[in-house]
């Protein structure tokens, strides 16, 4: 955060990654609004520190299962802090470090620009884990999604996301 705070202020958002190399390589390549949560354990304190510079974050964790679970946990933390969250889904087998090394910083920035909103991201993850065609899967997806929707402070957002979930 110490190295990135000016870049975060200038861009209006922070890119949040997991580890040191996931931070170092993109930063060296010119992405100056990036921070690392130092592993998968993002804390409320880290979110609050980041919130001093921006309310907008793009989470880019590893494409593996642990990264996906960490992303889902971080979404709730950012919601509790009333921050706007988008998520990048990296191709399978990549983390931010390896993606930038292979495809370059321009391709990484393009992924960031195409980040999904947290609701859409979580819904796609839930649909991949539970079968929405079966009643039990539909119930599990709804339960997980409603737990997230309930964390929104805005009644308008809660209402709109409930409607979107019902359509899905």
């Amino acid at each position: 955060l110490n190295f990135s705070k000016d870049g975060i202020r200038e861009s209006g958002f922070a890119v949040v990654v997991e580890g040191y190399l996931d931070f170092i390589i993109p930063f060296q390549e010119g992405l100056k609004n990036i921070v690392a949560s130092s592993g998968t354990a993002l804390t409320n304190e880290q979110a609050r520190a980041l919130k001093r510079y921006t309310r907008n974050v793009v989470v880019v964790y590893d494409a593996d299962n642990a990264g996906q679970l960490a992303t889902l946990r971080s979404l709730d933390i950012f919601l509790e802090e009333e921050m706007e969250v988008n998520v990048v889904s990296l191709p399978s087998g990549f983390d931010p470090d390896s993606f930038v090394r292979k495809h370059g910083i321009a391709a990484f920035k393009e992924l960031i620009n195409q980040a999904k909103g947290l609701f859409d991201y979580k819904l796609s993850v839930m649909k991949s884990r539970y079968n929405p065609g079966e009643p039990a899967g539909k119930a599990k997806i709804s339960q997980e999604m409603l737990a997230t929707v309930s964390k929104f402070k805005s009644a308008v957002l809660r209402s709109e996301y409930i409607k979107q979930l019902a359509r899905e």
Side-chain angles (χ1 to χ4, degrees), residues 44 71-81 122 147-148 151:
N44 287 81
T71 300
L72 293 175
R73 280 193 302 274
S74 72
L75 296 179
D76 288 340
I77 289 171
F78 287 126
L79 279 179
E80 288 168 12
E81 295 301 322
K122 185 167 184 176
T148 296
K151 291 182 188 324

Side-chain angles (χ1 to χ4, degrees), residues 2-168:
N2 183 48
F3 294 111
S4 302
K5 62 186 174 192
D6 293 334
I8 291 168
R9 280 190 192 122
E10 289 171 20
S11 67
F13 71 98
V15 176
V16 180
V17 296
E18 286 180 85
Y20 298 116
L21 279 177
D22 294 332
F23 164 81
I24 292 169
I25 299 305
F27 188 86
Q28 286 179 337
E29 294 296 317
L31 187 65
K32 301 300 182 186
N33 59 326
I34 189 169
V35 294
S37 62
S38 298
T40 58
L42 179 78
T43 66
N44 287 81
E45 291 77 23
Q46 288 172 316
R48 276 187 223 112
L50 190 54
K51 191 169 140 179
R52 287 184 287 182
Y53 302 99
T54 186
R55 291 184 166 278
N56 303 304
V57 295
V58 176
V59 177
V60 189
Y61 283 172
D62 297 359
D64 62 13
N65 194 46
Q68 200 175 64
L69 291 172
T71 300
L72 293 175
R73 280 193 302 274
S74 72
L75 296 179
D76 288 340
I77 289 171
F78 287 126
L79 279 179
E80 288 168 12
E81 295 301 322
E82 298 183 67
M83 297 174 78
E84 183 72 30
V85 186
N86 289 301
V87 182
V88 169
S89 295
L90 290 172
S92 183
F94 284 99
D95 60 18
D97 162 42
S98 63
F99 186 88
V100 170
R101 287 176 193 256
K102 182 166 183 170
H103 299 288
I105 196 67
F108 188 62
K109 286 180 178 180
E110 184 59 32
L111 284 179
I112 291 167
N113 290 334
Q114 297 172 2
K116 286 182 177 180
L118 76 91
F119 182 88
D120 294 330
Y121 173 78
K122 185 167 184 176
L123 185 58
S124 68
V125 169
M126 292 299 107
K127 284 178 162 182
S128 72
R129 290 185 177 197
Y130 308 106
N131 183 352
E134 295 178 2
K138 203 176 279 192
K140 189 65 175 163
I141 292 168
S142 295
Q143 177 184 4
E144 294 282 339
M145 293 304 298
L146 289 172
T148 296
V149 169
S150 70
K151 291 182 188 324
F152 284 95
K153 304 277 191 247
S154 166
V156 172
L157 284 176
R158 283 193 311 269
S159 175
E160 288 303 311
Y161 284 133
I162 289 169
K163 289 176 190 174
Q164 189 175 340
L165 179 58
R167 282 192 301 272
E168 288 289 329

